Amino acid sequence: MLSPLILTLGLDAPDQARFERLRQAHFPAAMNHIPAHLTLFHHLPGELLPDIDAALAQLAVQPPFPIEVTGLRSLGRGVAFTLASPVLTRLRATLAQHFHDSLTPQDRQAFRPHVTIQNKATPEAARALLAAMQAEFSHFTVRADSLLLWHYRGGPWEHAANYPFASPPPVQGGDEGG
C-alpha cells in the first residue's frame, strides 16, 4: 500500500510568505513541521497517483486566480484565516466529484477553505490571539498559483508534485490589422 497523498493549494510567494510568518510566530514550534497551507484533500489514496496526476494536470490549465481572505475563525486550540473564492470552490468540487468513491469521511465534509496559523496551543492562547488579530483584521486578497501534492508518511509531508496554473498569454500590442 502506497502512502496517502495530501493536496493543497499553492499561493504566490508573497502571500505564502505572509501566512508562513504568522504561522512561525504563533504555531507551537515543537509541533510546526509543515508550511502554512490551504488543504483541498487530507487523504487521497497513493495507489491513485497516475489518475490524480492526470486530473491535476488537466485542472492546472486555468490561470492563477484571486481568493478573498474574509476573516478569522477559532479552531478551539488555534486560529485560522477564512477564505472564499468561487473558482476555488468549483475546482475543489470538480476534484471531489472525480475522486468521490476514494474520499475519506473528512474529505467528504463541506469544504471550508482556511489557512491555519495556530493550532495545538492552549485554549487561552488561542482566544487571545484570535481577539488580537480580529482587532486589526481587514479583508485582503491572495493569489492562487498552483496545486501542490504531498506524500504523507507519518511525519512531515514530502513534496510529490507541483502543478502551476497556466499564466494567461501576454497581450500583444501593436498593429490591430488596420
Side-chain angles (χ1 to χ4, degrees):
M1 182 174 196
L2 298 174
S3 63
L5 299 163
I6 300 165
L7 181 63
T8 64
L9 187 72
L11 301 174
D12 71 5
D15 296 325
Q16 179 65 32
R18 179 181 191 173
F19 287 130
E20 189 60 29
R21 277 190 306 276
L22 288 166
R23 187 175 174 99
Q24 292 297 322
H26 300 293
F27 206 103
M31 297 176 216
N32 191 13
H33 303 295
I34 56 177
H37 57 279
L38 190 163
T39 303
L40 298 174
F41 295 97
H42 297 87
H43 183 120
L44 295 171
E47 296 78 18
L48 295 182
L49 183 56
D51 190 25
I52 293 167
D53 179 64
L56 297 180
Q58 185 176 12
L59 283 173
V61 299
Q62 71 178 26
F65 58 90
I67 301 174
E68 295 299 317
V69 181
T70 59
L72 295 150
R73 81 172 201 209
S74 171
L75 301 175
R77 297 178 65 89
V79 176
F81 284 100
T82 57
L83 293 92
S85 163
V87 176
L88 175 59
T89 300
R90 282 191 303 273
L91 182 145
R92 203 239 181 225
T94 297
L95 286 168
Q97 182 176 16
H98 185 82
F99 293 108
H100 183 268
D101 292 341
S102 301
L103 296 181
T104 63
Q106 181 181 20
D107 284 333
R108 286 186 181 150
Q109 293 178 5
F111 180 51
R112 297 182 356 190
H114 65 279
V115 175
T116 301
I117 58 154
Q118 181 192 56
N119 205 359
K120 303 175 182 165
T122 65
E124 297 78 21
R127 280 192 298 274
L129 178 61
L130 180 63
M133 291 186 71
Q134 283 178 328
E136 298 178 3
F137 180 80
S138 61
H139 289 227
F140 60 100
T141 302
V142 297
R143 184 172 167 261
D145 67 5
S146 61
L147 297 167
L148 304 172
L149 193 62
W150 307 85
H151 292 286
Y152 179 70
R153 303 188 200 277
W157 301 352
E158 178 186 319
H159 185 259
N162 184 16
Y163 303 84
F165 294 143
S167 295
V171 175
Q172 299 295 318
D175 188 6
E176 296 286 325

